[in-house]
Structures are given as structure tokens and as C-alpha cells.
Amino acid sequence: MAEPVGFYTDTTVCIGCKACQVACKEWNDLPAQLGGQRADGTRMTLPLTGDSYDNTGSLSDVNWRHVKFIEQFSPDANRNEAAWLMMSDVCKHCHDAPCLEVCPTGAILRTEFDTVYINGPACNGCRDCISACPFGVIHMSKDPKKLVAQKCTFCYDRLRIGMAPACAQACPTESIKFGPLNKLKKDAETRVSQLHRLGQVKAHLYGADKTVLGGLNAFYLLVDKPEVYGLPSNPKLPSRSVPRSAFWSIFAAFLTALGVLFAFRGRTNGTNGKPVPPEPPKDQPAAVKPTPASRKEIVAKPAEGKK
């Protein structure tokens, strides 16, 4: 097996140029993300969101790379203080990948480079991987002829011929670094120490150790909480929730059965197992069951009006 490789993204040197997005689209022949439909049936190009310079908004079936623009402003009306965080987001290629765990057809597999790859022809479009991914990476193709899950392939075709992924090669500031995973982690730790010495005490690595899904092959250097960048602080594998969910399901079923048992015993209590007859309404007298003696009297007594 080849040496595990990965991405190390230093968000402190990202300038938001989107060269990685363009390179990813060009190499993988991904179509443009389109907006609404014109009267003639053609689709309009996607306009700016109006919230920031980010016109793509998020990862999608045609955006396997996405540069996030995170604007932070002071609460005063003039916004005297501002910070602009940028991060090139991509599939994390998790060591313990939730998508790979839930795939029923084996379409999602781990390559010899320790990356996570979707084999399109084997995908049945069940969407289990979409719900399992805690990062919102995987999306279904909107092409009716190819309804399969889509995400970053880590440029598997380039890796096989010894080339770096297109996004890392296009990054002008080397915010996206590609290489052997062990070397990237050492470089990242050195960079964090440097930022701490410069006063950036919030700088930390996300996904470089095993605390996040066993480690991410695409990890990040952040200068704020993961949630600020839209990253979960403690993502979990779906299988980790199975024992707890099974326990509560069994416990709820036991309580339900216990309740039915007590309800049944309450209806038959004191009647030797026979059902309890319903009580008569309070405004009507209870019906009296005639005794054998009273039946004889009724028979012997002539009906009124007859002689």
C-alpha cells in the first residue's frame, strides 16, 4: 500500500481567491452551478448570495471545493472592528469515515492512498452516506442520467500517476498543502507554535489527532472555534449510537408491555378472570336480574285487561 497522504489547510494564509475551486472544476470537468430557469428553458448562472463574496454558498454535487468567507464584525453601527476568516473546505477523508460505514453496496471504499473514494457505478443512490456525513460533504447528482453520490475524489486519477491534487497545485499562497500525512502533521504543529509566539493564542489544529473520527486526512489550522467555520466539534460514527438507541428502544418496549399487563389485570381483578360489566349511568337504576321465583310470579300473573 502507498504511503497515506492528505491535505493540511492553513486558514491563516488563505486569501479567498478561489483558485482551488476553479482548478477542481476544470480537472474534474464539473459543470457550473446554475440558478433559476429562463423563459426559453435555459438556466441562469448563479448570482451572488448578497451575504458575502461567496457565490457558491456550500459544497454541492458540482462544487467539491468551497472557499468559505466568514465575516466577523463588532456590534456597533459603524462596524469599527472586523475580521475576515477564510477557509477552503473539502471532503475530510476521515480515518473512521461514517459514509463508508453505512454504504450498503460497497460503493464507498478506501484507496491505497488512505483516501475515501466513491465508485459511481456501484452506487445505488440510497442517500445513506448523505445523512451519515457530519460535514455535509456528499450530495446527489442532479443529472437524471447519473443519480449517484458525489464528492471530492482527492484527485485519485492524479495520485495514481504521481501528481498532486489540482487544488493544492493551484493554491498561490500554499494554504492547501499536500503530502505524506505524518510530515504534514509535523509542519502543522510547527506553524501552530509559531502563531502562538506571535500572539495568536487561539490557533489550533482540527482533525490532526484521533479525537475527530480517528483523524482526518484533510485537517485544518483554525484561529477560532470549529463551529465558527461550520465544523462540528465532536462528530460521531453512526454505529456509536446503536447501543444507546437499542437500549432505549428495548426499555420503551418493556414499559409498554408492563403497562398493557397492568391494564389487563385491572380489568379482570376480582372477577375470576371474567370481564367486568360496565356500570349503568348514574341517572338510571341498575337492571335487576330476575330470580327463578320472580319468573314464576310473572308467568302466573294474568296480563292486565284480560279475564
Side-chain angles (χ1 to χ4, degrees):
M1 183 174 178
E3 186 177 12
V5 296
F7 288 131
Y8 153 47
T9 303
D10 184 352
T11 62
T12 63
V13 295
C14 177
I15 58 175
C17 67
K18 298 192 179 184
C20 54
Q21 286 187 210
V22 175
C24 179
K25 278 186 173 290
E26 287 184 347
W27 180 260
N28 295 290
D29 196 23
L30 296 173
Q33 185 173 351
L34 301 177
Q37 194 170 18
R38 298 188 181 93
D40 59 358
T42 59
R43 300 285 295 278
M44 296 181 291
T45 56
L46 191 71
L48 291 174
T49 61
D51 297 326
S52 71
Y53 288 100
D54 179 8
N55 66 321
T56 49
S58 65
L59 294 168
S60 72
D61 62 314
V62 295
N63 293 315
W64 297 353
R65 268 278 178 187
H66 169 237
V67 178
K68 295 182 178 181
F69 288 74
I70 303 162
E71 292 92 347
Q72 297 178 318
F73 299 102
S74 56
D76 60 282
N78 295 324
R79 296 182 172 185
N80 291 321
E81 297 181 4
W84 209 352
L85 306 179
M86 299 173 188
M87 184 190 82
S88 181
D89 197 15
V90 73
C91 173
K92 313 305 179 290
H93 297 272
C94 316
H95 183 274
D96 300 329
C99 59
L100 191 151
E101 182 180 81
V102 302
C103 181
T105 64
I108 302 179
L109 48 88
R110 190 170 298 280
T111 71
E112 65 270 29
F113 303 102
D114 201 30
T115 60
V116 179
Y117 180 83
I118 297 179
N119 181 21
C123 177
N124 67 355
C126 68
R127 294 173 170 81
D128 286 353
C129 55
I130 296 177
S131 58
C133 178
F135 303 105
V137 166
I138 306 177
H139 295 79
M140 292 298 296
S141 171
K142 294 181 176 60
D143 185 353
K145 298 181 181 179
K146 191 174 66 171
L147 294 175
V148 296
Q150 301 272 282
K151 76 170 191 69
C152 162
T153 64
F154 215 108
C155 284
Y156 178 64
D157 51 348
R158 293 172 66 98
L159 294 182
R160 293 185 65 185
I161 58 176
M163 295 177 63
C167 54
Q169 185 170 323
C171 182
T173 63
E174 295 187 353
S175 170
I176 303 171
K177 295 181 182 293
F178 163 77
L181 207 53
N182 292 331
K183 182 179 184 304
L184 291 178
K185 290 179 180 180
K186 292 179 181 178
D187 294 344
E189 291 170 357
T190 302
R191 175 61 175 164
V192 170
S193 300
Q194 180 186 23
L195 291 173
H196 286 176
R197 290 194 299 270
L198 295 174
Q200 188 59 269
V201 294
K202 290 185 177 181
H204 68 281
L205 298 178
Y206 176 85
D209 56 19
K210 295 183 179 181
T211 57
V212 180
L213 297 175
L216 306 181
N217 281 27
F219 63 94
Y220 298 85
L221 190 157
L222 309 177
V223 292
D224 211 323
K225 296 179 180 179
E227 290 79 8
V228 174
Y229 295 86
L231 299 171
S233 58
N234 188 27
K236 296 181 180 179
L237 282 166
S239 59
R240 302 290 173 85
S241 303
V242 171
R244 181 182 300 177
S245 301
F247 169 78
W248 286 113
S249 298
I250 296 171
F251 183 68
F254 173 75
L255 291 181
T256 302
L258 200 62
V260 171
L261 177 63
F262 276 106
F264 181 75
R265 285 173 60 89
R267 287 183 60 83
T268 60
N269 188 26
T271 62
N272 296 324
K274 297 179 180 180
V276 179
E279 296 183 358
K282 294 182 178 180
D283 56 346
Q284 297 181 8
V288 180
K289 184 177 182 181
T291 61
S294 62
R295 291 199 192 100
K296 293 178 181 179
E297 293 175 358
I298 294 172
V299 173
K301 186 179 179 179
E304 293 182 3
K306 292 184 179 180
K307 295 183 180 180

